[in-house]
Amino acid sequence: MTEYIKFIFEGKTFEFPVVIGTEGEKALDIGSLRNKTGIITLDPGYANTGSCTSDITFMDGEKGILRYRGIPIEQLAEYSSFRETAYLLIHGELPTENKLKRFSVMLNDHSPVHEDMQYFFRNFPRASHPMGILSSMVTALRSFYPELPDMEDEVDTTVTRLLSKIRTLAAMSYKISKGHKVVYPRPDLPYCANFLNMMFDSPVRPYEIHEDVVKALNIFWILHADHEQNCSTSAVRLVGSGKVSLYAAISAGIAALWGPLHGGANQAVIEMLEKLAAQGTDVKQLVARAKDKNDPFRLMGFGHRVYKTYDPRAKIMKATCDKLLTQFNINDPLLDLAKALEEVASTDDYFISHNLYPNVDFYSGIVLRTIGIPTNMFTVMFAIGRLPGWIAQWKESMDESQWKLGRPRQIYTGPVERDFVPIEKRS
Ligand code: ACO
């Protein structure tokens, strides 16, 4: 039975239905609010606005729960691979053995990129940020791989192309930025190992693929694969709603992810820890700065719009980090600093009362450093991981039952109507 919320405005009562999700989440459906009452809602940053209903990801920020298509993130990190999780997100179900094999074959078939794309890379200024390059290259893919006439083929092929080529593009941009020879994808290697090989193999030092590193990368990408309606995913949905190509929508997502308050936080965390180590600053001093309202500094890797408890991804990332460093017998002073910072922040009244806990980015940089990924590529790694989520969300939003051009409203607060003043009369 549908429940209604009553709304009294200018002496009249209006009723709006309550929508209830499968996990009991409740929303007030205000789709008819403006037509019925003439008013709109005001919610800067969309903190209380549901932009869609979705079957993809469930998160409970109070309880620290994250599930893809119903499956807890902890189980996926332990038992699944990134490739299989990508399939789950995009197609809605775990693949059978045959379907997974077919998916792998398609990923392999699409892994090389057009040779001419190398010319683009070579012409970006050396200091370009890899996220800017990636965003441009993903849009450029449309020019190299034009639309197919059949929509279903087009979606399937474009999705596989993107998933496969994004890791080739990322590795290629790294090799070219170092002035090294590009390494081609190898059909005999699975998704993560193939990427590591393209990044680090060289004629003078062949790359040795280590299963523990491959597992850590699978976990890193699984943890980043989707996170419901965050900044970059909302960008993908909004830009996609104008019916641009999937490449353009994903490129918008990459641009949104780049910001230090979103995906760029993993790079910002490592830079913060490195600065802390280099300057020998006391962690207590840094926490004091983060609390000071006159100082714009924030503790990077802490806080989250939705999680008001420990981010479940951060728990898994911290454990992966510890395991990896122990396996390789590495003593990373940045990990000790991160732990000391967490210790001080987690017992501080300000951080407790503001519900500020480490988020996924706090320990992920140390995992990436251990794998050998350079700091300026961290957010690119996040983007590769988030791609299946963006694709799944785009697919869902383009479904005829959901599709609607995204177009929020506003409350105008500028000057009321006034006359144009000729330049000679302006004071
Ligand atoms: N350090 C210090 N204080 C913080 C921090 C932080 N990292 N994060 C939030 N706060 C404080 C704010 O100053 C504010 O305090 P006040 O209410 O006393 O004024 C309060 O907590 C709420 O902050 P908002 O910015 O309103 O919270 P919001 O939910 O919008 O912010 C955000 C979430 C942007 C992630 C924020 O916590 C932040 O800037 N964190 C650091 C950057 C970061 O790690 N980003 C990665 C997020 S995860 C991801 O996107 C993959």
Side-chain angles (χ1 to χ4, degrees):
M1 197 187 66
T2 309
E3 287 200 82
Y4 291 85
I5 289 179
K6 281 190 181 157
F7 186 92
I8 302 167
F9 178 62
E10 294 178 338
K12 285 191 200 136
T13 303
F14 303 90
E15 282 192 344
F16 296 96
V18 174
V19 178
I20 305 179
T22 47
E23 290 285 350
E25 290 177 299
K26 295 188 182 80
L28 170 63
D29 180 351
I30 49 108
S32 59
L33 180 70
R34 189 166 177 278
N35 277 351
K36 284 183 180 166
T37 66
I39 64 173
I40 60 163
T41 55
L42 184 61
D43 182 21
Y46 312 127
N48 288 296
T49 297
S51 59
C52 58
T53 57
S54 178
D55 296 349
I56 303 168
T57 289
F58 171 70
M59 59 188 285
D60 181 326
E62 271 71 37
K63 295 192 187 131
I65 294 174
L66 176 62
R67 298 181 199 135
Y68 299 157
R69 303 282 187 184
I71 304 176
I73 191 68
E74 293 78 6
Q75 291 182 23
L76 289 167
E78 188 161 356
Y79 306 117
S80 187
S81 66
F82 175 62
R83 185 185 37 162
E84 186 182 56
T85 299
Y87 187 101
L88 168 73
L89 282 166
I90 295 167
H91 298 282
E93 292 296 336
L94 287 168
T96 58
E97 215 174 332
N98 273 345
K99 284 183 176 165
L100 189 60
K101 264 192 202 144
R102 198 177 114 72
F103 189 47
S104 305
V105 170
M106 280 172 73
L107 287 171
N108 264 332
D109 286 353
H110 286 291
S111 58
V113 297
H114 199 292
E115 287 290 318
D116 287 354
M117 290 198 97
Q118 289 196 31
Y119 296 115
F120 282 92
F121 285 114
R122 295 189 195 282
N123 288 305
F124 276 105
R126 276 288 147 115
S128 304
H129 194 283
M131 282 297 273
I133 300 180
L134 189 67
S135 175
S136 319
M137 297 308 283
V138 166
T139 313
L141 279 172
R142 169 48 87 221
S143 316
F144 286 90
Y145 304 98
E147 268 170 62
L148 300 171
D150 181 84
M151 187 55 189
E152 212 167 298
D153 277 357
E154 156 69 1
V155 171
D156 260 5
T157 310
T158 306
V159 163
T160 324
R161 261 192 195 132
L162 255 173
L163 280 171
S164 187
K165 290 189 196 311
I166 197 167
R167 70 192 158 152
T168 314
L169 288 174
M172 190 192 248
S173 83
Y174 172 64
K175 283 289 192 194
I176 293 174
S177 74
K178 301 267 289 177
H180 292 174
K181 197 167 179 293
V182 167
V183 176
Y184 285 81
R186 268 177 43 187
D188 59 314
L189 291 178
Y191 195 93
C192 293
N194 213 341
F195 171 76
L196 290 167
N197 190 63
M198 284 191 275
M199 282 288 287
F200 303 121
D201 190 49
S202 88
V204 285
R205 194 180 303 156
Y207 182 66
E208 202 184 311
I209 294 165
H210 202 294
E211 275 319 304
D212 296 322
V213 174
V214 173
K215 177 69 188 164
L217 182 57
N218 267 293
I219 293 175
F220 175 89
W221 276 340
I222 290 170
L223 296 183
H224 287 83
D226 194 48
H227 217 219
E228 51 121 299
Q229 308 313 315
N230 54 82
C231 172
S232 54
T233 302
S234 302
V236 170
R237 279 188 177 252
L238 189 68
V239 172
S241 78
K243 301 235 166 165
V244 297
S245 76
L246 174 59
Y247 298 111
I250 297 298
S251 171
I254 295 170
L257 189 73
W258 190 354
L261 295 192
H262 189 19
N266 56 13
Q267 178 174 342
V269 169
I270 287 294
E271 285 167 354
M272 176 183 79
L273 293 174
E274 279 173 345
K275 214 162 154 191
L276 194 65
Q279 294 174 345
T281 316
D282 181 2
V283 288
K284 286 191 179 138
Q285 251 174 287
L286 204 70
V287 171
R289 269 193 72 194
K291 292 171 8 180
D292 182 355
K293 290 289 161 214
N294 298 316
D295 188 333
F297 173 76
R298 282 185 170 199
L299 212 52
M300 299 316 283
F302 267 77
H304 195 275
R305 173 63 62 80
V306 179
Y307 291 123
K308 298 305 162 203
T309 182
Y310 213 101
D311 180 339
R313 301 166 304 169
K315 261 187 216 158
I316 303 170
M317 198 65 87
K318 188 177 178 184
T320 308
C321 187
D322 273 331
K323 202 168 159 198
L324 201 61
L325 292 181
T326 312
Q327 266 155 349
F328 288 94
N329 204 12
I330 297 172
N331 183 11
D332 189 337
L334 294 197
L335 180 62
D336 299 336
L337 263 181
K339 284 185 175 168
L341 204 52
E342 185 189 339
E343 176 75 31
V344 172
S346 64
T347 50
D348 187 282
D349 277 351
Y350 174 93
F351 278 78
I352 295 169
S353 64
H354 283 73
N355 295 316
L356 297 170
Y357 297 87
N359 57 48
V360 69
D361 293 315
F362 194 61
Y363 288 102
S364 66
I366 302 172
V367 170
L368 292 177
R369 255 162 75 93
T370 312
I371 294 177
I373 308 290
T375 313
N376 71 350
M377 286 275 292
F378 283 5
T379 318
V380 166
M381 298 298 287
F382 190 155
I384 301 175
R386 182 55 55 86
L387 186 59
W390 286 334
I391 293 172
Q393 300 272 353
W394 171 84
K395 248 181 110 187
E396 189 176 72
S397 72
M398 296 313 280
D399 190 277
E400 277 310 313
S401 62
Q402 277 253 357
W403 176 80
K404 198 166 172 70
L405 177 70
R407 204 303 185 187
R409 290 186 175 261
Q410 62 162 28
I411 295 293
Y412 175 69
T413 53
V416 292
E417 186 179 354
R418 54 190 177 144
D419 287 329
F420 176 81
V421 181
I423 196 157
E424 60 282 4
K425 293 199 178 155
R426 289 176 214 160
S427 50

